[in-house]
Amino acid sequence: MQGAHEALAAWESYYVIIGSSGAALTGLQFVVMALAADSTLPSTSREIGAFGTPTIVHFCAALLISAILSAPWHSLTMVSLALGTCGLLGVIYGVIVIRRAKSQSGYKPVWQDWLWHTELPTSAYAILLVSSLLLPGFPERSLFLIAAVALLLLFIGIHNAWDTVTFIASGEFRATHTAPSESGPLEEPGRSEDPKQQPE
């Protein structure tokens, strides 16, 4: 069986990049949440739990994977255990996010939201779990899969953070959730939403 230090040495630079990126991009989500707080969007803890908090989790997961694979392990079995725990917790969290996305009522997710916020992250954590179990017996192939998962989590987090910013900036939420009594400035002067009230 290949030693842990020998198997992980070649990935040192890769995980320096992934880990530092995950730590830096975590700050990006704080900026996103600050923008959301300053906006007039009627968001609740359910929307934040479904679409905001998971982004932080994905960045931190990439950072944690990098930290685990950069530690001076003596056995790949221990690395497998640590990564397997991360993968299992990630899958469980993915199921929780899916339930939160379904239960919230402030925003109706479209298929892109389901893909990027639920399906891809949960699949990534599932691949991490499977790869960690295969790591002791197939270290080379497993490490490539684990590296792909760490990078995918970064891309998912970046996409979701950018998606939130553009959603706020475009005013899409406000345009689709403004009550008729509050939509006066958006209507044309003298025009009513009710066709029966249109002037003859």
Side-chain angles (χ1 to χ4, degrees):
M1 181 181 295
Q2 190 176 11
H5 184 270
E6 180 183 353
L8 300 177
W11 292 94
E12 182 177 355
S13 298
Y14 180 86
Y15 285 109
V16 168
I17 296 172
I18 294 294
S20 58
S21 298
L25 289 170
T26 300
L28 171 65
Q29 187 63 9
F30 283 97
V31 175
V32 172
M33 295 308 297
L35 291 175
D38 290 339
S39 70
T40 58
L41 302 185
S43 59
T44 66
S45 59
R46 289 187 176 182
E47 283 78 39
I48 294 174
F51 303 108
T53 305
T55 303
I56 288 285
V57 173
H58 304 328
F59 286 145
C60 291
L63 175 59
L64 181 58
I65 292 171
S66 301
I68 290 173
L69 293 175
S70 298
W73 300 97
H74 297 291
S75 169
L76 286 177
T77 302
M78 297 305 297
V79 181
S80 173
L81 179 61
L83 291 176
T85 302
C86 294
L88 178 60
L89 293 176
V91 171
I92 294 173
Y93 183 69
V95 174
I96 293 173
V97 171
I98 292 173
R99 293 181 60 184
R100 288 176 178 173
K102 288 182 177 179
S103 65
Q104 58 84 34
S105 58
Y107 170 72
K108 184 177 181 181
V110 295
W111 71 268
Q112 295 97 329
D113 298 318
W114 290 114
L115 175 66
W116 285 95
H117 290 273
T118 60
E119 295 175 10
L120 281 178
T122 306
S123 298
Y125 291 119
I127 294 173
L128 177 62
L129 176 58
V130 174
S131 301
S132 66
L133 297 176
L134 297 175
L135 180 60
F138 306 93
E140 184 174 351
R141 295 180 181 179
S142 299
L143 285 173
F144 271 99
L145 286 175
I146 294 167
V149 168
L151 187 60
L152 178 60
L153 289 173
L154 283 184
F155 285 150
I156 290 171
I158 293 170
H159 172 276
N160 293 349
W162 175 251
D163 190 50
T164 302
V165 170
T166 55
F167 186 71
I168 295 171
S170 66
E172 181 181 350
F173 189 98
R174 190 178 298 106
T176 57
H177 291 76
T178 303
S181 61
E182 299 174 349
S183 59
L186 299 178
E187 299 176 356
E188 297 179 9
R191 185 179 179 90
S192 172
E193 293 295 329
D194 189 352
K196 296 180 179 179
Q197 298 180 7
Q198 294 294 329
E200 298 293 337

